[in-house]
Amino acid sequence: MTKPLSIRNITAHYGRTLVLEDLSLEVAEGELVSLLGASGCGKTTTLRLVAGFLQPTSGAITLGGRDLTRLPAHQRDIGLVFQNYALFPHLSVADNVGFGLKQRNVTGDARTKRVNAMLERVGLDHLADRLPAALSGGQKQRVALARALVIEPPLLMFDEPLSNLDAKLRVDMRVEIRQLQRANGTTSVYVTHDQEEAFSISDRVAIMHAGRIMQLDTPENLYQRPANAFVARFVGFENLIPMKVVARDGALVTAEAAGGVRLSFGLEQFGEIPDDFVLACRADGLTVTDNLAVEGIPATLGLRTYLGRAYQYQCDTAAGALVANGPLSRVLQPGSAAKLVPVPEQCTILKPE
Amino acid sequence: MPTKLHPALIGFTVLVFIFLVGPLIIVVGAAVSDTSYLTFPPHGLSLRWFENIFAIDAFRRTILTSLQVAVLATFVALLIGIPASYALNRYRIQLPGWLSTLFVLPVLVPELVLGFSLLKNVAYQFNAPIFLSLVVGHTILILPYVIRVISASLASFDFSVEEAAISLGSPPLKTFFTILLPNVRSGVIAAFILAFITSINDVSISIFLTGPGLSTLPIQLLAHMEQFFDPTVASVSVLLMVLTVAVMAIVERTLGLTFLAK
């Protein structure tokens, strides 16, 4: 039933404004890919293009080899789950879920049976006769999910489905969505601006910005090995230090940052190092020490905050403002001099912007 | 413990109520008076002035004309107004802001001016039959109300509901009838009633467009008052009230008056 989705070289405009630029995305059979980004990055536009509510300027969309690009929305056979649920207000829960089957001429007992089975799966069989207005937010989203799943679509798409729910319910619902999606093996596209949500339920995540995919990878890779400065910042790399190689000595490379700060890098730890690069890490990737004899970035410590597992320091350095963590065993005072030592496993090397 | 109302508030409420209902009571009272002139309180009790309406041929004919014009004009106004309101709300972001104002502009033009220009530009220019001119005139008169009322109920409609239906395989036109219309039903009913009442009570436009042999009830009423001062006028008014209430009741029975609860 489920099919792979292929988006090839899509460009789209709103009036004259370019909203998507040469975007390509392959979603494998049964895979859940999230489109993650701030509002206006083009993630919802991508979803609406696939759903058929917008037309691309150029490019092609295929679902399991079937060309969708010029097909009207109602013939695309895609299950959609909306942010504001979009239930039919005048129809009961059962009729909402049965709507798609009715369009497919599934009638009588067959329809009732499938609707009931689906409602049972989302735990709402006891509410079949209610109107949507009498349901809570979580129940409404379950009905919306059941309504999209019951037609057994080859592709399921979610448009920020959890943003209207409270924090606790959001976590429960995303687990539920992932379980249902896994159990059915339905190819899925999930649009969200919530990084934690995207990383927790996706096989792969596409981080989008200004109508382009900045990186498409597994959550693990995105989190630890961002491919560029934008993604690094997006996943919380506070420290981005531009550097220039000044000496190469076998497996050891020496590079210099602004203010003449020199650091050495081992090729076996960092792989290939271009002449110009950006050293990127989170606060974890720089260790604060008051041993000024070691190699590191000389810094003056600023505000100290307690993180539970470490102290975090706002640091003033010749290479700019940096954030670094120091051990709990050693409390350093604001204003004192220290060195920030990069932790190779926590650091990554990026091409300059 | 129930809240105690201030006596002044009760008094004021009663006053407002009298102000609203008083004239109606006087009209009803005058209509059943057994005198040959308009008076209140009624002297005696008689239904002969109601009989008189139907005895006068002109009243019989104009009641029929008024009903025909009102039903037709309302029907045409809904036929134009529903799709127009839909388009104005569905594509609100893409459309220029002044467009929806344009559709309600006729309300701002004094009805007498509207009536006169219709006479000049429709009735004379195209030598249109009186009945047609009346239907056109009334449609123009009530269309802004229809668009206003239906737009108000569409403003709270979430158009992603429509997209949900389309994504589930329902073609756009079918979706309009099975999903959109049932959800703005209350607005359509309200528009229907408002349009019907406006049309059936209209004087200022009809006075220009009616002519020899064809008139509407309010115009006939005006003509009758110029010659006679008997309670027929009052009984026709009561008849109009009953007609209006009857229309509302029928609409409520068939379509549901849920809009009052909204």
Side-chain angles (χ1 to χ4, degrees), chain A residues 48 53 73-75 77-80 82 84 86-91 96 99-100 103-104 147-148 151, chain B residues 90 157-172 174-175 177-180 182-183:
Chain A
R48 293 177 64 78
F53 299 134
H74 69 275
Q75 290 171 13
D77 215 18
I78 294 172
L80 270 176
F82 295 81
N84 41 9
L87 299 180
F88 309 127
H90 61 302
L91 298 180
N96 261 280
F99 187 86
Q103 309 309 315
R104 284 160 181 74
R147 183 178 68 177
I151 61 170
Chain B
R90 178 76 177 82
F157 182 77
D158 175 7
F159 285 96
S160 62
V161 168
E162 197 186 45
E163 288 182 346
I166 292 172
S167 78
L168 288 166
S170 171
K174 188 180 171 195
T175 304
F177 287 106
T178 57
I179 298 297
L180 188 116
N183 281 297

Side-chain angles (χ1 to χ4, degrees), chain A residues 30 73 90 106 129 132 150 161 179 202 215 223 225 283 314 329 333:
Chain A
H90 61 302
V106 180
D129 298 326
V150 77
Q179 279 168 345
S202 310
Q215 189 177 354
Y223 195 76
R225 297 271 171 261
Q314 307 295 318
S329 54
Q333 295 310 317

Side-chain angles (χ1 to χ4, degrees), chain A:
Chain A
M1 239 9 205
T2 178
K3 287 169 184 164
L5 171 72
S6 165
I7 302 173
R8 280 190 305 271
N9 310 103
I10 287 284
T11 296
H13 294 78
Y14 277 135
R16 285 198 178 160
T17 320
L18 180 74
V19 281
L20 286 184
E21 200 183 343
D22 198 29
L23 183 130
S24 295
L25 175 68
E26 303 282 333
V27 183
E29 209 175 299
E31 191 184 25
L32 193 156
V33 170
S34 284
L35 307 178
L36 175 65
S39 59
C41 71
K43 57 190 194 300
T44 298
T45 305
T46 308
L47 180 132
R48 293 177 64 78
L49 280 163
V50 176
F53 299 134
L54 291 173
Q55 289 296 320
T57 319
S58 63
I61 300 166
T62 57
L63 183 61
R66 181 173 174 232
D67 187 9
L68 296 186
T69 321
R70 301 291 158 199
L71 208 62
H74 69 275
Q75 290 171 13
R76 294 197 179 192
D77 215 18
I78 294 172
L80 270 176
V81 180
F82 295 81
Q83 176 176 357
N84 41 9
Y85 324 122
L87 299 180
F88 309 127
H90 61 302
L91 298 180
S92 70
V93 166
D95 287 342
N96 261 280
V97 176
F99 187 86
L101 295 174
K102 198 173 160 190
Q103 309 309 315
R104 284 160 181 74
N105 296 320
V106 180
T107 49
D109 280 351
R111 184 159 87 214
T112 318
K113 220 180 251 173
R114 279 173 73 178
V115 168
N116 289 343
M118 198 65 232
L119 281 174
E120 214 166 297
R121 275 187 73 184
V122 296
L124 289 178
D125 38 331
H126 59 295
L127 299 176
D129 298 326
R130 292 261 184 98
L131 283 177
L135 302 180
S136 72
Q139 290 169 338
K140 281 182 191 164
Q141 201 50 288
R142 281 201 184 85
V143 176
L145 195 59
R147 183 178 68 177
L149 277 171
V150 77
I151 61 170
E152 293 171 7
L155 174 69
L156 200 53
M157 298 204 291
F158 300 85
D159 187 7
E160 310 236 3
L162 308 179
S163 349
N164 286 357
L165 303 176
D166 60 54
K168 166 85 175 72
L169 195 57
R170 219 173 323 180
V171 175
D172 294 347
M173 276 299 290
R174 78 184 186 214
V175 172
E176 217 168 300
I177 287 178
R178 180 58 159 163
Q179 279 168 345
L180 277 170
Q181 185 265 337
R182 269 278 170 81
N184 286 25
T186 312
T187 309
S188 300
V189 175
Y190 192 104
V191 164
T192 180
H193 64 268
D194 185 326
Q195 189 180 319
E196 187 191 309
E197 194 175 302
F199 280 20
S200 68
I201 71 165
S202 310
D203 293 306
R204 287 187 301 156
V205 176
I207 293 181
M208 293 186 68
H209 175 63
R212 294 159 164 269
I213 293 177
M214 303 307 287
Q215 189 177 354
L216 172 63
D217 215 326
T218 62
E220 291 86 347
N221 279 345
L222 285 169
Y223 195 76
Q224 285 154 12
R225 297 271 171 261
N228 50 58
F230 178 85
V231 176
R233 275 196 206 95
F234 194 91
V235 298
F237 281 54
E238 292 103 332
N239 304 310
L240 293 174
I241 310 163
M243 305 204 78
K244 204 183 266 290
V245 172
V246 288
R248 289 181 188 270
D249 179 15
L252 203 67
V253 172
T254 307
E256 194 177 273
V261 180
R262 287 195 176 199
L263 295 170
S264 35
F265 299 89
L267 285 184
E268 73 241 51
Q269 276 160 323
F270 288 97
E272 213 175 306
I273 297 177
D275 283 345
D276 277 299
F277 67 93
V278 173
L279 176 66
C281 63
R282 295 191 174 81
D284 273 340
L286 290 176
T287 304
V288 178
T289 172
D290 57 349
N291 177 4
L292 300 178
V294 298
E295 186 195 81
I297 306 166
T300 308
L301 299 183
L303 182 73
R304 183 187 70 227
T305 49
Y306 176 63
L307 297 184
R309 58 193 156 81
Y311 283 116
Q312 188 161 93
Y313 298 89
Q314 307 295 318
C315 309
D316 194 20
T317 75
L322 300 174
V323 186
N325 287 355
L328 292 173
S329 54
R330 197 133 178 85
V331 184
L332 301 173
Q333 295 310 317
S336 59
K339 281 241 170 128
L340 313 179
V341 184
V343 185
E345 308 76 72
Q346 306 277 3
C347 292
T348 187
I349 284 190
L350 306 172
K351 286 198 200 88
E353 282 175 270

